């Protein structure tokens, strides 16, 4: 399974890498919320705004929120402060450092998280999901960056997340953490992964 993942990642290196940008990494509750999709006809991108940041000893937690059908939806995104580069400067995948389970976690923050999972199910045509799991969701994370993640400065970081890595059809999605624009974004890789991703988030 790991070898297949590496081959897939290597084929996408041209689209990988982080792009540092100037600015500060503060967040504000006054930031207006926007729809988490660009419309029902274009559900391949799911975007949430970062409204609050909480620093722990080894991680940073962000309250990520958006709007769906005029309701606030969201969850907590917890990111390790130390995420090594997954791609070397010569463009090769670093298998040992690049893959780590749980370096990015998704945590239920209340009813808005249940609404987020329900919205994701509606957007991606997965029925019967109404509640987010109470335990943190910890995908296998590949860091598609040529430099170590540094949450102390404003930048854009790219990852690939694998949900249910041991499943017959693991859910794969591209994930962008942008501390400059103060957003996180899920970018769909293939519609075939929708069900696995949604069910990984949902309480069964």
């Amino acid at each position: 399974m790991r070898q297949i993942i590496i081959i897939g990642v290597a084929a996408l290196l041209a689209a990988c890498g982080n792009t540092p940008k100037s600015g500060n990494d503060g967040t504000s509750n006054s930031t207006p919320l926007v729809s988490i999709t660009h419309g029902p006809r274009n559900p391949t991108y799911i975007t949430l705004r970062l409204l609050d940041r909480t620093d722990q000893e080894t991680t940073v937690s962000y309250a990520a929120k958006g709007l769906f059908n005029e309701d606030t939806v969201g969850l907590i995104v917890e990111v390790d402060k130390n995420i090594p580069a997954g791609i070397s400067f010569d463009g090769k995948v670093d298998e040992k450092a690049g893959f780590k389970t749980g370096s990015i976690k998704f945590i239920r923050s209340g009813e808005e998280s249940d609404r987020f999972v329900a919205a994701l199910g509606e957007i991606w045509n997965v029925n019967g999901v109404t509640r987010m799991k109470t335990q943190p969701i910890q995908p296998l994370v590949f860091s598609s960056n040529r430099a170590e993640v540094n949450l102390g400065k404003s930048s854009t970081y790219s990852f690939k997340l694998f949900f249910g890595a041991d499943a017959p059809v693991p859910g794969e999605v591209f994930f962008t953490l942008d501390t400059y624009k103060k957003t996180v974004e899920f970018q769909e890789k293939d519609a075939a992964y929708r069900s696995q991703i949604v069910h990984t988030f949902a309480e069964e």
Side-chain angles (χ1 to χ4, degrees):
M1 177 64 193
R2 179 63 63 82
Q3 184 176 6
I4 294 173
I5 291 173
I6 293 171
I7 292 172
V9 170
L12 295 163
L13 289 183
C16 295
N18 58 311
T19 306
K21 299 174 183 178
S22 60
N24 62 68
D25 62 356
T27 56
S28 172
N29 283 321
S30 64
T31 304
L33 297 181
V34 297
S35 174
I36 64 173
T37 68
H38 299 295
R41 295 183 180 180
N42 184 28
T44 57
Y45 290 86
I46 307 295
T47 304
L48 298 167
R49 288 199 182 277
L50 302 178
L51 300 184
D52 294 295
R53 168 177 172 148
T54 303
D55 285 71
Q56 293 92 23
E57 184 176 352
T58 61
T59 63
V60 175
S61 295
Y62 299 94
K65 299 183 182 182
L67 296 175
F68 183 74
N69 293 339
E70 299 184 359
D71 287 328
T72 299
V73 301
L75 71 175
I76 302 297
V77 180
E78 186 175 284
V79 184
D80 285 358
K81 289 182 177 179
N82 179 24
I83 301 180
I87 302 173
S88 63
F89 285 103
D90 60 2
K92 295 181 180 178
V93 173
D94 187 335
E95 180 181 357
K96 184 176 181 181
F99 291 92
K100 184 180 179 182
T101 297
S103 56
I104 296 174
K105 302 179 184 73
F106 302 98
I107 302 170
R108 184 178 183 272
S109 58
E111 291 183 359
E112 65 191 15
S113 298
D114 298 335
R115 293 193 293 268
F116 172 74
V117 170
L120 197 60
E122 182 175 338
I123 293 166
W124 282 353
N125 299 312
V126 179
N127 297 323
V129 293
T130 59
R131 182 177 174 84
M132 184 173 173
K133 289 178 178 175
T134 55
Q135 67 270 32
I137 294 149
Q138 303 185 53
L140 173 64
V141 178
F142 175 74
S143 176
S144 309
N145 303 288
R146 295 175 186 261
E148 181 178 329
V149 172
N150 179 0
L151 299 178
K153 65 178 182 179
S154 297
S155 190
T156 304
Y157 296 106
S158 300
F159 305 91
K160 191 174 182 182
L161 309 182
F162 301 87
F163 296 91
D166 296 328
V169 182
E172 301 179 23
V173 69
F174 300 106
F175 182 74
T176 302
L177 170 66
D178 192 328
T179 58
Y180 178 73
K181 293 181 179 179
K182 302 179 180 64
T183 60
V184 290
E185 183 176 78
F186 299 86
Q187 179 186 349
E188 183 177 73
K189 180 184 178 184
D190 193 301
Y193 302 132
R194 290 179 176 182
S195 180
Q196 179 64 55
I197 294 169
V198 173
H199 283 293
T200 301
F201 276 90
E203 191 78 71
E204 300 293 340

